[in-house]
Amino acid sequence: EAQVTQNPRYLITVTGKKLTVTCSQNMNHEYMSWYRQDPGLGLRQIYYSMNVEVTDKGDVPEGYKVSRKEKRNFPLILESPSPNQTSLYFCASSPRSPSGVLKNIQYFGAGTRLSVL
Amino acid sequence: GENVEQHPSTLSVQEGDSAVIKCTYSDSASNYFPWYKQELGKRPQLIIDIRSNVGEKKDQRIAVTLNKTAKHFSLHITETQPEDSAVYFCAACHSGNTPLVFGKGTRLSVIA
């Protein structure tokens, strides 16, 4: 089954304790992205990756890191989480057309609800 | 960069009535405009999209219209049903070149 898989789905942690949220897709998509969703603020992009070893900052990258060593995986790393990073996080991926154009249709993971105390 | 404004933030309609959600975008180079529906506790899912070479697209009870001159696009849901209750997000981008930029969302409640 084609899917984007995030783990964990729920996480409670404490300020300053490094954590990683994993994201994996089995659709061979080039483009992957991380969003955070907060009430009244919609979906805000944290980082995105157009392909392996290519990552770019989104609108709210502060306090986050990502890596794209393999096509299928795009982990989100919080080196020193703070309470303002309490949020619902979504990973998404998109394919490219045979001609190489990004198709922009985003397939979302199920989400990770993070609480930082 | 692109900026997408979405209105209203909340919308309540009676079952069977129509609902309209409006978005404006800032970048005239944007040419792809999708709408996503997010049911409570679930992930956003694409429900309809439109590209800048067409002015309207329909899929059963939902339709999207695009006015490139005014840089706005709208989602229309007719004959609303309780299962249409969800948060709806519009988005815009220059397809193939830039990431999607989302609006802040509209919480639609359909009252039976």
Side-chain angles (χ1 to χ4, degrees), chain A residues 9-117:
Chain A
R9 293 288 318 278
Y10 304 91
L11 180 59
I12 301 173
T13 190
V14 295
T15 299
K17 186 177 181 182
K18 181 179 179 180
L19 68 92
T20 299
V21 184
T22 64
C23 176
S24 178
Q25 49 92 7
N26 62 359
M27 296 171 280
N28 203 36
H29 288 172
E30 285 80 5
Y31 178 90
M32 297 186 74
S33 179
W34 276 103
Y35 297 89
R36 61 177 289 174
Q37 183 176 16
D38 302 290
L41 297 178
L43 290 160
R44 294 182 294 167
Q45 191 173 51
I46 303 169
Y47 270 95
Y48 64 97
S49 170
M50 289 287 195
N51 215 324
V52 176
E53 301 290 2
V54 180
T55 62
D56 284 290
K57 294 179 180 178
D59 296 320
V60 288
E62 295 78 19
Y64 304 96
K65 286 174 59 177
V66 293
S67 68
R68 188 88 183 275
K69 294 184 172 60
E70 310 163 275
K71 198 172 192 179
R72 63 182 292 126
N73 296 323
F74 190 45
L76 180 69
I77 303 154
L78 285 72
E79 294 270 2
S80 184
S82 62
N84 65 10
Q85 292 178 299
T86 293
S87 188
L88 176 59
Y89 292 86
F90 286 102
C91 179
S93 70
S94 296
R96 286 190 184 274
S97 68
S99 62
V101 174
L102 186 64
K103 296 189 86 172
N104 286 114
I105 298 170
Q106 306 238 359
Y107 298 83
F108 284 86
T112 296
R113 188 165 292 281
L114 172 65
S115 294
V116 183
L117 305 177

Side-chain angles (χ1 to χ4, degrees), chain B residues 42-60:
Chain B
K42 300 200 174 173
R43 73 195 77 187
Q45 292 196 301
L46 180 71
I47 55 171
I48 194 168
D49 57 13
I50 191 168
R51 297 187 186 273
S52 58
N53 56 348
V54 296
E56 183 176 1
K57 184 177 179 180
K58 292 183 75 172
D59 183 3
Q60 299 183 345

